[in-house]
Amino acid sequence: MSEESVVATREGRIGRLLLNRPKALNALDLGMIRALATALAGWRDDRAVEAVVIDSASDRAFCAGGDIRAIRTHALAREYDAVETFFAEEYALNGAIAAYPKPYIALVDGICMGGGIGVSVHGRVRVATEHAVFAMPETAIAMFPDIGATYVLPRLSDMLGMFLGLTGTRMIGADAVHAGLATHFVPRADLPALRTALTERGEAAVAGAALAGNALPPFSLAPHLPAIARCFGAPSLPEILERLAAEDSDWARETLATLRSMSPSALCWSFAVIRRGAGLSLPEALAAELRITRHVTRHPDFAEGVRAMVVDKDRQPRWMPPTVEAVDPAAIAAMLD
Ligand code: QUE
């Protein structure tokens, strides 16, 4: 097995990007982002490469996110140039994937969160297996749904994007297809054959594998879609919380408790940027996200959230201010200019 954390190879008709940092669940560090960008640029005008396939060497994770631990270290050391470089290159990669002139095919079999969604969702084809788990969990670390999610989430139906982006709800593979984050459901057992078929037939292999697979399992969120649309369609964050409190269901009580555990400030800025993204192009949304990272990574909740969820893993963050009601709307508005 290669030691490289991204292995780029040409196999038959495809360029294959293999995420290979299994101990970190393929969390993207700057070197991996650069390796992905370089390989994509090299294959762009290579006539031997018909399509690009991004895949993982781990059976636990496609990609758990960005290297948020390193970002926190830079932020605490006030090395904001390093923070800026990371997000600027990550978001440029997300934009390059969306604009790629050849089919870009992600094989998602395992955890796919945050930055992992950023290197899959912008591609034309996103295959998910029954072991895929998709989420945008950034409000738990006082970030916000970035990597172009401020463009993608407001375009999902039934206010699902606002729900997913604020609560960080995890969706299994079939649910991700129903929600629109993935395009095809293929059982894990059929992935080896699909990988071979892709090298032989290119993008056309995907439809065959998805048809050969079992019927798409039902959407587990279907019973909650009316409540999601009612509550997460509210015109302000406090009103989302009020509507959830008025619902009188176990789902609403659990959802409210989840939101109450997230950074109150991050809920406020995430609500605002997801709403605003509805009216932006992807390049505009990515540029807006980069500007917001400059404020977010300087906010004390960010270092505290990454400490609690990723570094110490005590899952007991101490948010400041501690409630949504205590967040100053003017401070949030000032971050969004
Ligand atoms: C929320 C998040 C992230 C998270 C945990 C959360 C996130 C992220 C990681 C992560 C996972 C594994 C690693 C790593 C980072 O965890 O965005 O370096 O090895 O990247 O609760 O948003």
Side-chain angles (χ1 to χ4, degrees):
M1 180 63 78
S2 170
E3 298 293 312
E4 291 172 274
S5 51
V6 171
V7 183
T9 49
R10 199 170 67 74
E11 296 180 12
R13 296 186 182 200
I14 65 159
R16 181 162 186 245
L17 298 168
L18 186 68
L19 301 173
N20 184 37
R21 196 186 171 214
K23 284 179 192 148
L25 302 176
N26 289 334
L28 299 173
D29 60 23
L30 186 56
M32 293 168 75
I33 288 164
R34 288 180 173 165
L36 293 170
T38 300
L40 284 176
W43 289 332
R44 211 188 132 92
D45 301 311
D46 181 343
R47 294 178 60 177
V49 174
E50 205 175 279
V52 171
V53 176
I54 184 165
D55 200 353
S56 165
S58 160
D59 62 4
R60 290 184 58 209
F62 172 75
C63 173
D67 192 359
I68 214 75
R69 195 184 284 260
I71 307 288
R72 173 177 181 267
T73 302
H74 287 307
L76 289 173
R78 299 179 185 280
E79 293 161 358
Y80 294 115
D81 286 354
V83 175
E84 176 86 3
T85 299
F86 180 89
F87 287 120
E89 295 197 28
E90 182 183 28
Y91 300 168
L93 173 64
N94 303 144
I97 291 167
Y100 207 62
K102 303 181 183 188
Y104 179 99
I105 300 160
L107 303 181
V108 180
D109 182 32
I111 295 165
C112 180
M113 300 192 186
I117 294 192
V119 294
S120 53
V121 76
H122 303 298
R124 189 189 301 182
V125 176
R126 294 90 67 184
V127 171
T129 76
E130 72 279 19
H131 295 283
V133 178
F134 288 77
M136 287 302 292
E138 287 83 0
T139 53
I141 56 165
M143 255 289 280
F144 62 96
D146 63 338
I147 55 85
T150 63
Y151 172 84
V152 172
L153 293 178
R155 287 166 174 78
L156 304 185
S157 63
D158 302 297
M159 297 311 291
L160 257 177
M162 184 63 81
F163 165 70
L164 295 171
L166 295 184
T167 63
T169 297
R170 284 149 173 69
M171 284 195 300
I172 58 173
D175 286 351
V177 176
H178 286 289
L181 293 181
T183 57
H184 298 77
F185 181 76
V186 174
R188 173 182 278 185
D190 294 346
L191 271 192
L194 174 58
R195 287 188 179 98
T196 303
L198 284 164
T199 66
E200 293 165 356
R201 300 169 52 213
E203 185 189 12
V206 178
L211 283 178
N214 303 323
L216 185 63
F219 192 12
S220 70
L221 287 174
H224 308 304
L225 289 177
I228 288 172
R230 264 197 308 276
C231 298
F232 288 84
S236 73
L237 181 67
E239 212 161 320
I240 290 177
L241 302 178
E242 283 167 27
R243 291 187 189 185
L244 283 167
E247 279 286 320
D248 194 31
S249 73
D250 287 341
W251 172 85
R253 277 183 285 276
E254 285 162 23
T255 301
L256 190 54
T258 298
L259 289 173
R260 289 290 187 193
S261 73
M262 303 304 185
S263 160
S265 301
L267 289 175
C268 292
W269 64 58
S270 297
F271 174 85
V273 291
I274 293 169
R275 279 212 138 200
R276 193 172 61 174
L280 301 180
S281 67
L282 177 64
E284 289 168 341
L286 289 167
E289 290 174 8
L290 184 59
R291 292 194 298 275
I292 293 159
T293 63
R294 294 170 193 150
H295 300 282
V296 164
T297 55
R298 285 166 170 80
H299 192 289
D301 276 8
F302 172 72
E304 172 61 6
V306 179
R307 181 204 65 72
M309 304 305 289
V310 180
V311 179
D312 297 342
K313 298 189 172 78
D314 60 39
R315 305 177 77 84
Q316 299 287 327
R318 297 166 62 96
W319 306 124
M320 195 55 65
T323 64
V324 168
E325 291 71 17
V327 175
D328 175 10
I332 301 300
M335 298 175 66
L336 298 173
D337 297 338

